[in-house]
Amino acid sequence: MGVDYYGVLQIPRTSTELEIKKAYRNLALEFNCERCKIPKAYQVFALIGEAYEVLSKPLLRAVFDQYGEEGLKRGVPGPDGYIAGYHYHGDPMQTYKDFFGTTSPYADLLDVLKNPPQLCKTTDGIQVCKKQPPIRHPLQLTLHEVFFGGVKKMKIHRLVFVNEERNKTDIREKILTITVKPGVRAGTEIVFANEGDQNPAHIPADVIFITEDRPHELFVRQDDNLILTTTISLEQALVGTMVTVHTIDHRTIRVPITDVVSPTYEKTVENEGLPILDKYPLKGDLILRFDIVFPVYLTRTSKDLIKNAFAVSQVGKDSHEAINKLVLADKILRVEREQQLPPI
């Protein structure tokens, strides 16, 4: 014999929808598995949730009343076709949340008692105040401000109450002080609660400043890193160079470039980027990228010299003997003619 859902909720079969809800509410609060510590509380809590779900839905209740639990879960023929079998989703806490609108109704009730809602006078009488939608402003920051942090002053104009009855307003100016932390990311919201227009029928809106990075003449920001693109000649890209960087914090650093610079080459200088907000005073990296300027014209002699210079790069990486021969030949050519040994 199957489970009697009416017996689970301890109600008669003639119970109304309201009586079913009352029964579930009392039992669910008593056997909530997060609060009840008796053995097998979860199984009881789940069975209560299943019983409520079946009896609170007219079609499922009608099938159960006629065919019992076995027919309900097996499936039965109906006037408009076959009625598929019912299966409980197995999450009683979800049923609980759908019923109460929260997993902790008592906690919400206590919160209301400790922090009662604000009441406002409206044309329809005294009602719970509704908060006005937030007012958003962009806050542009230079990379210098992001690097060092600091304080910014922002002027706003808003309506404020000018009498004790709080029913008359006038425009007033107010200065808001914004603390900028070193390394603050773009898109950060800085909220000033209830600094919007005052109104007898509403709670003032929050004023929110959203940070934006102002373009810099040299650097581009990438999270906590700084990217600097510098221009070098083809000669410097091939034989090396020294890049001088004037940092945001007014220092001068010199970065030696000893690798062959290709169009996709990047040189990373650690700890020379922007401060990392959550790990201050650690900083990101400075990433150097390069624009290579090619010569407009080369003489035939210059081209021949370049061909000879590239001869070594055409030798396989494992051809040590061939490379040694080229190096030796180069040294011989550097010796003055009068110092060369006579041919044997």
Side-chain angles (χ1 to χ4, degrees):
M1 186 174 180
V3 176
D4 180 8
Y5 293 131
Y6 292 101
V8 171
L9 296 184
Q10 302 175 20
I11 55 176
R13 286 182 168 268
T14 56
S15 297
T16 63
E17 181 181 353
L18 180 60
E19 290 170 335
I20 293 171
K21 289 183 177 180
K22 287 182 177 179
Y24 173 75
R25 181 183 186 280
N26 294 333
L27 292 172
L29 291 173
E30 180 180 353
F31 291 98
N32 183 338
C33 58
E34 293 186 357
R35 299 171 55 245
C36 183
K37 303 303 180 184
I38 65 172
K40 298 186 178 180
Y42 182 84
Q43 289 86 338
V44 176
F45 186 53
L47 189 57
I48 293 170
E50 182 178 342
Y52 169 73
E53 186 170 272
V54 171
L55 298 183
S56 63
K57 296 180 179 178
L59 177 61
L60 296 180
R61 183 179 180 181
V63 174
F64 172 76
D65 287 343
Q66 185 171 356
Y67 298 99
E69 184 206 11
E70 294 181 356
L72 176 69
K73 294 185 175 179
R74 183 179 62 247
V76 296
D80 298 323
Y82 182 77
I83 300 175
Y86 162 78
H87 296 285
Y88 185 54
H89 53 70
D91 185 1
M93 189 55 69
Q94 183 61 47
T95 305
Y96 187 88
K97 184 177 181 180
D98 292 342
F99 183 87
F100 289 102
T102 175
T103 57
S104 181
Y106 287 136
D108 290 350
L109 179 60
L110 291 174
D111 182 67
V112 171
L113 294 175
K114 291 180 181 178
N115 303 290
Q118 183 175 336
L119 300 178
C120 295
K121 292 182 180 180
T122 67
T123 55
D124 297 327
I126 297 177
Q127 297 181 355
V128 175
C129 291
K130 292 184 179 180
K131 193 177 183 72
Q132 293 176 316
I135 303 170
R136 302 178 186 274
H137 298 287
L139 178 65
Q140 288 201 340
L141 301 174
T142 65
L143 290 186
H144 186 275
E145 291 171 323
V146 173
F147 190 96
F148 289 102
V151 175
K152 292 182 73 71
K153 303 286 187 179
M154 301 298 292
K155 182 189 298 184
I156 64 170
H157 294 85
R158 62 174 188 155
L159 295 173
V160 297
F161 294 121
V162 293
N163 60 350
E164 294 183 358
E165 292 77 16
R166 300 171 65 86
N167 57 12
K168 185 178 180 181
T169 59
D170 196 6
I171 296 178
R172 292 288 187 271
E173 180 182 288
K174 184 171 183 178
I175 303 297
L176 300 179
T177 301
I178 302 173
T179 301
V180 178
K181 296 181 179 180
V184 63
R185 293 284 187 93
T188 299
E189 295 188 352
I190 302 172
V191 181
F192 290 86
N194 301 337
E195 290 291 352
D197 292 337
Q198 295 181 347
N199 187 309
H202 297 91
I203 299 174
D206 295 339
V207 176
I208 302 176
F209 292 94
I210 305 173
T211 59
E212 297 178 356
D213 291 335
R214 182 175 294 172
H216 192 271
E217 61 272 15
L218 295 177
F219 300 102
V220 175
R221 183 180 187 178
Q222 183 184 72
D223 298 329
D224 300 315
N225 300 328
L226 289 175
I227 299 175
L228 173 63
T229 301
T230 185
T231 301
I232 61 175
S233 66
L234 178 61
E235 176 187 0
Q236 292 171 321
L238 296 177
V239 304
T241 186
M242 184 76 71
V243 176
T244 301
V245 180
H246 300 287
T247 65
I248 291 178
D249 56 339
H250 312 300
R251 293 179 298 113
T252 299
I253 61 175
R254 292 176 174 83
V255 183
I257 307 298
T258 57
D259 299 324
V260 174
V261 177
S262 67
T264 58
Y265 175 83
E266 293 182 349
K267 178 71 173 181
T268 300
V269 185
E270 296 182 352
N271 204 40
E272 288 293 347
L274 293 172
I276 301 175
L277 181 63
D278 299 328
K279 299 179 181 179
Y280 186 82
L282 295 179
K283 296 194 288 288
D285 299 330
L286 170 65
I287 301 174
L288 297 179
R289 294 176 179 172
F290 300 90
D291 281 337
I292 303 172
V293 178
F294 285 73
V296 178
Y297 173 76
L298 286 175
T299 65
R300 181 66 182 178
T301 303
S302 298
K303 292 180 179 179
D304 291 339
L305 291 173
I306 292 174
K307 285 181 180 180
N308 294 332
F310 278 119
V312 174
S313 65
Q314 304 301 324
V315 179
K317 294 182 179 180
D318 298 327
S319 303
H320 302 293
E321 183 178 351
I323 293 176
N324 290 334
K325 287 182 179 180
L326 288 169
V327 172
L328 180 59
D330 180 64
K331 288 182 178 179
I332 292 174
L333 291 174
R334 292 174 184 271
V335 177
E336 296 295 335
R337 180 176 297 276
E338 59 272 12
Q339 295 180 354
Q340 295 183 12
L341 294 175
I344 298 175

